Amino acid sequence: MEDHANLQQFKAEFFKALAHPMRIRILEVLCDGEKSVNELQTILGSEGSAVSQQLSVLRAKNLVNTVKEGTTVVYSLRDPLIKDLLAVARQIFDNHLVESISLLKGIRKS
């Protein structure tokens, strides 16, 4: 029973790490390959402190790897399955969107 509790705790912590739009966006960007903090800031169009704060959470939850190259820190996904998880989340979103559009079309016809 303890294994189930440990697994549930891991999942809860894992999903907490995903519970911020910028962290999800960072992970989506890293799906395309490793990036430095400056590259992430540019892509996200966000200030350094906000990006660094979210990267810190992702590091603490072991969702990203870091490698120091001179004075630059480069981030990458720790587990390539994160890319699959984000793709499945997108599919679920698309399914909900299709259902909502169908529902709205049905309301219009009434």
Side-chain angles (χ1 to χ4, degrees), residues 4-104:
H4 284 25
N6 290 339
L7 178 59
Q8 290 167 346
Q9 184 63 39
F10 170 82
K11 287 178 180 179
E13 294 299 319
F14 179 83
F15 285 111
K16 275 188 215 173
L18 296 177
H20 190 284
M22 185 181 287
R23 290 196 292 264
I24 291 172
R25 183 67 185 121
I26 289 168
L27 293 172
E28 289 172 341
V29 169
L30 293 177
C31 285
D32 294 330
E34 60 184 31
K35 301 279 185 279
S36 69
V37 175
N38 289 340
E39 289 173 313
L40 287 167
Q41 290 169 3
T42 300
I43 292 167
L44 298 170
S46 188
E47 63 184 48
S49 60
V51 173
S52 293
Q53 182 181 12
Q54 301 310 327
L55 284 168
S56 176
V57 173
L58 292 172
R59 254 191 337 265
K61 300 295 184 182
N62 289 316
L63 294 178
V64 295
N65 286 326
T66 59
V67 176
K68 194 154 183 151
E69 296 178 358
T71 58
T72 304
V73 178
V74 176
Y75 288 83
S76 62
L77 294 179
R78 181 179 169 101
D79 189 325
L81 288 175
I82 291 170
K83 187 174 183 174
D84 296 337
L85 177 70
L86 294 172
V88 168
R90 176 60 192 239
Q91 289 172 331
I92 292 168
F93 171 80
D94 290 347
N95 290 344
H96 284 275
L97 191 58
V98 167
E99 289 172 15
S100 296
I101 290 169
S102 296
L103 183 64
L104 288 173

